[in-house]
Amino acid sequence: MKILLKDILFEEIERQWDESVDDANALFNVEPHNTIKMIEPFHVIMKLYRIGDNVDIRGRYTGRLEFVCDRCCEKAIKNLEESFHYILQPKKNDEESIEEGDEELEIGYYEGDEIDLSELAIEHLMLSIPIKMLCKDDCKGICPYCGENKNEYECDCDKKKGYSNPFAILKN
Ligand SMILES: [Zn+2]
Ligand SMILES: [Zn+2]
């Protein structure tokens, strides 16, 4: 979804669309061992208005991610609901400094007479992905001794470590 600068008015306008997941997934797949895949639908709503040459954009999107949990290695799905607030300024070549806004307000730049709204949403999505993707916050992971998924089975390997090596049985 792109919008011409001249179509952004001083009064707030709204754009809503279903974004294809292809571009987001292409970016996830840049990472060699990526397991994250966005699944449909990826719905975006943006509200925009102009303040002089600057554009105020409030966005919200919902989507679903399919991934392999970093701790227990099970497939999981996470529902996304994110929002952001950007102020875009026209890019000037002599002005390289990036202004710091408060935490929720980001200052960005646009070039030319068109703004790529899809790119903004996908960029925010990429930044919102945590380094570790977990199936749930308190995922217990896999037991290093017996290999059980500890979310499903409470083994007692921690208590009896001597019993821990699965190859120990071969000695008998
Ligand atoms: Zn997990
Ligand atoms: Zn165990």
Side-chain angles (χ1 to χ4, degrees):
M1 171 71 69
K2 289 181 179 171
I3 189 163
L4 287 170
L5 206 58
K6 68 175 175 60
D7 292 334
I8 305 173
L9 311 174
F10 292 95
E11 265 174 48
E12 189 175 88
I13 57 162
E14 189 183 280
R15 288 287 184 278
Q16 279 202 43
W17 71 98
D18 278 321
E19 180 70 38
S20 156
V21 295
D22 295 349
D23 289 348
N25 285 335
L27 286 171
F28 283 129
N29 284 329
V30 167
E31 195 68 46
H33 302 295
N34 172 61
T35 69
I36 303 171
K37 192 176 128 190
M38 185 127 189
I39 49 180
E40 310 273 7
F42 178 10
H43 189 71
V44 190
I45 305 172
M46 286 194 191
K47 291 183 169 166
L48 316 94
Y49 67 92
R50 279 175 77 158
I51 323 159
D53 281 338
N54 295 348
V55 181
D56 184 296
I57 304 182
R58 283 171 199 271
R60 208 168 77 82
Y61 58 90
T62 51
R64 281 156 79 77
L65 293 179
E66 196 182 82
F67 61 99
V68 172
C69 174
D70 278 319
R71 220 176 261 166
C72 70
C73 301
E74 293 290 332
K75 245 191 184 174
I77 287 188
K78 187 187 174 78
N79 288 316
L80 290 174
E81 192 176 340
E82 298 282 342
S83 57
F84 55 85
H85 185 191
Y86 289 135
I87 300 276
L88 297 190
Q89 301 175 340
K91 190 170 185 170
K92 296 181 194 112
N93 288 331
D94 55 340
E95 192 183 358
E96 285 296 318
S97 68
I98 293 167
E99 285 177 51
E100 292 283 323
D102 65 63
E103 231 174 272
E104 281 164 31
L105 179 67
E106 305 251 8
I107 308 280
Y109 298 96
Y110 67 87
E111 261 181 300
D113 56 4
E114 196 176 60
I115 295 177
D116 190 336
L117 301 179
S118 294
E119 200 177 283
L120 282 179
I122 292 168
E123 191 181 286
H124 188 273
L125 167 69
M126 292 299 141
L127 293 173
S128 70
I129 302 295
I131 295 167
K132 282 212 174 291
M133 288 287 285
L134 301 180
C135 61
K136 52 186 178 185
D137 288 344
D138 61 348
C139 170
K140 293 179 191 150
I142 290 173
C143 170
Y145 303 108
C146 70
E148 284 287 349
N149 179 344
K150 292 207 275 185
N151 298 309
E152 281 157 22
Y153 176 73
E154 273 300 337
C155 61
D156 52 4
C157 297
D158 286 343
K159 285 169 207 149
K160 38 178 187 178
K161 288 231 175 77
Y163 190 67
S164 63
N165 185 345
F167 298 103
I169 198 161
L170 297 175
K171 284 185 195 162
N172 299 331

